[in-house]
Amino acid sequence: MKKIKRKSAGNPLRIPAFVIGYAAPEPPPPGFLAAWFNQEYGGPLTIRLSGDPGATRFEAHHGPWAALVDTDLPPAIAEAWHERVQWGHKRAAQILPLKMTSRENRDIVLLLARLARGLTLLTGGTAYDTATESYLNPSDWTDRPLHAFQIADHLRIEQVDGRADGKVWFHTRGLSKFGVEDLETYRAQGLSERPVIEAFTEMADALTLLGRAPNVGESFTVPGLARPVRVVRHRTDQSYSVRLNLREVEWE
């Protein structure tokens, strides 16, 4: 492990990609996380510690990609997450990107998810994906081994019925982790949801490769669809505990 004298970069008020709640008496040493990562994914994971003795905040580098990790959040912050996500964990860790670039966003998100998986398994805790508002216990990671990037591992597609206009609202959750706005569309009731779910999955895959969502009025090509997709509106939505930035799309 390499030591660096400067403090790890990053604003403590930034929303992390993952929060891991745990009940272990002590967080795992950074070297334990690196050893687990190297065994599981081949590594090498390089840990860069601050110069402060006993510091639990460090940088984790794998190739050109890097994450900020804090394995023992201050009690006030851990308690705030305890209240927000309603879990029994009083201690918590967090993971966020050191720097997000559109060209490498998929590799960076994959690194973040791998580190979240490692901390979940090493602490016997629960990971909370802040973009999708999903919970992952150790057993849940068995279906998400993360040996390669798959958009479905990082995406959630919601279907909301019972609207006043009689339409069904479909939207994605999770694209914000990649620096991309989430997608939405509206369909008449009674239609199968499968075509929308499949189309959104293809679109999300294409947009994370592109690194941005096209502007209103623009169209983009999705390899898995036989027709172009057009962005018709941009808006924000407050239906959840976090604000969603959404782009409405049409493809039929």
Side-chain angles (χ1 to χ4, degrees), residues 125-208:
T126 303
Y128 177 70
D129 182 330
T130 61
T132 63
E133 293 191 307
S134 300
Y135 298 84
L136 292 154
N137 293 310
S139 59
D140 297 317
W141 289 107
T142 59
D143 296 326
R144 194 176 298 190
L146 302 176
H147 287 295
F149 181 86
Q150 297 184 68
I151 189 62
D153 289 333
H154 312 281
L155 185 71
R156 181 172 171 179
I157 299 173
E158 302 278 9
Q159 175 182 344
V160 181
D161 300 285
R163 291 169 49 87
D165 60 8
K167 293 184 178 180
V168 181
W169 177 37
F170 291 90
H171 66 88
T172 65
R173 300 286 305 273
L175 292 182
S176 60
K177 282 203 298 283
F178 302 87
V180 177
E181 289 88 350
D182 278 290
L183 303 173
E184 69 173 347
T185 196
Y186 300 85
R187 288 290 186 270
Q189 290 186 359
L191 300 177
S192 172
E193 73 276 6
R194 181 174 293 276
V196 177
I197 293 172
E198 292 176 349
F200 267 179
T201 302
E202 295 283 353
M203 291 178 207
D205 202 37
L207 291 179
T208 54

Side-chain angles (χ1 to χ4, degrees), residues 205-220:
D205 202 37
L207 291 179
T208 54
L209 277 173
L210 183 63
R212 68 176 184 89
N215 295 324
V216 174
E218 291 184 353
S219 296
F220 61 99

Side-chain angles (χ1 to χ4, degrees), residues 181-182 184 214-216 231-236 244-248:
E181 289 88 350
D182 278 290
E184 69 173 347
N215 295 324
V216 174
V231 179
V232 298
R233 184 174 61 144
H234 175 266
R235 72 180 186 93
T236 59
L244 293 182
N245 293 308
L246 295 164
R247 304 228 173 197
E248 183 182 349

